[in-house]
Each structure stands twice: as C-alpha cells, then as structure tokens.
Amino acid sequence: MSAAEVVSGMLTALFAAAAVHALRHAVLPRGSGWLGRGDGLLHAVMASAMAVMPWHPVGEGPSPGRTALFFAGAALWFPLTAVLGRGGPGLAVLVRRSPHAVGMAAMAWMPVRHGGVTDARTGDLVTGALTLCLLVHALWSLTRDMPTLRGTPGSVGGSAGLSRSVDLSGPYDHFWHGSTAMGTALLLLMHH
C-alpha cells in the first residue's frame, strides 16, 4: 500500500465519520431548530462528497457545474443565515459561521479549478487563500479546548440559539470542525 493510499484511506475514514456526526446533529432534536438542521445536512452532504473524493478525481461523478453551484449556494447559506437569523445580524455570529462558508466555498472551487475556468495564477491564489483560511480555522478549533479537555473530561458545553446550529461550543464539536477543515485543506492541496 502506497503512502498516498494510506492518506486517502485516512481522509475517507475522517470524512465518513464527520458525515455521520453531522447527520446525527441534523436529525436529533436538540433544540437547534431549522437552522441547525440545515447546517447539519449541508455538512453531512459535504463530508459525504469528500469521503469519496480521495479515490476519484475532481470532475468524476455528478456534473462539475452542478456540484460547484450546489456548494456555492451552501457557502452563501452560512453568512446569509447569520445576517437574517434570530436576534438580528451580528458580527460575532457572522465571524463564527464564516469558516463553514469557506469550507463550502472550497468544495465549490475544486470543480471550477479543475474545469480550467481560471488561469493558473488566479487558481493558485484562490486555492492558497482557501487553504490558509481552512488551516487557521483547523488549528484554532483543534487547540482552543485543550485546557478544557484536561480539566473536565467528558464535558460538552453548549448554548441555545444560533450558536448551537454549527458551533456547539463543546470540545468534541470543535474537534470535528477542526478535523474536517484540516482534511478539506489537504484535499484542496492534493487536487491542486
């Protein structure tokens, strides 16, 4: 087994588990309402698509144009629901939801980039910017609860409203979001 196959297998396992986690949050009644269910379903679709991506080149499967359009719409979902959500628009809510929009934008970007729609320099700049944003979010998510993990094993915090929709503020949820952001960044670079 080659090193590339090992990495592909690890990414597939990560994204399959993330899809199950997101789907669980979308269907279990936890007081998150329609917004949380929509967020969870979009994350489940994204993680499912990324679970098979290491084994198939971008552009195989569903139409690249439709895939890009779907994920572009999903990328818009997060800032639009932050602006139109309960309690009015807030910069903190928009900032909290923006990494999820970046992940969806990366999924929209991959088929566009491989479809040859942009020149190489523009493609490199967009890929680099998306990768950098994803890596920053991954590192922040994966390291922010380290003292919490040592101090209160098994605790998963949370708050009501919009923050429960995607950012459930528990260390395990930060792990999932950070891990999928890291995996998305890896897929962007692998398919670049």
Side-chain angles (χ1 to χ4, degrees), residues 21-63:
H21 176 77
L23 190 58
R24 183 178 145 260
H25 281 290
V27 299
L28 290 181
R30 294 181 50 163
S32 60
W34 66 269
L35 186 63
R37 293 183 194 288
D39 291 353
L41 288 174
L42 288 174
H43 278 93
V45 169
M46 178 182 172
S48 297
M50 290 192 322
V52 298
M53 197 177 290
W55 305 101
H56 300 287
V58 174
E60 276 189 13
S63 162

Side-chain angles (χ1 to χ4, degrees), residues 52-140:
V52 298
M53 197 177 290
W55 305 101
H56 300 287
V58 174
E60 276 189 13
S63 162
R66 289 182 189 158
T67 302
L69 187 60
F70 174 82
F71 285 111
L76 291 174
W77 164 266
F78 292 95
L80 287 177
T81 54
V83 170
L84 303 173
R86 294 178 290 211
L91 183 59
V93 174
L94 188 60
V95 167
R96 188 171 51 245
R97 293 178 65 76
S98 64
H100 307 292
V102 171
M104 296 293 174
M107 286 296 291
W109 174 245
M110 285 185 228
V112 170
R113 175 73 171 113
H114 290 281
V117 175
T118 63
D119 63 87
R121 184 178 175 155
T122 303
D124 291 346
L125 287 172
V126 172
T127 300
L130 288 169
T131 302
L132 181 62
C133 289
L134 288 165
L135 289 174
V136 166
H137 176 64
L139 290 174
W140 179 78

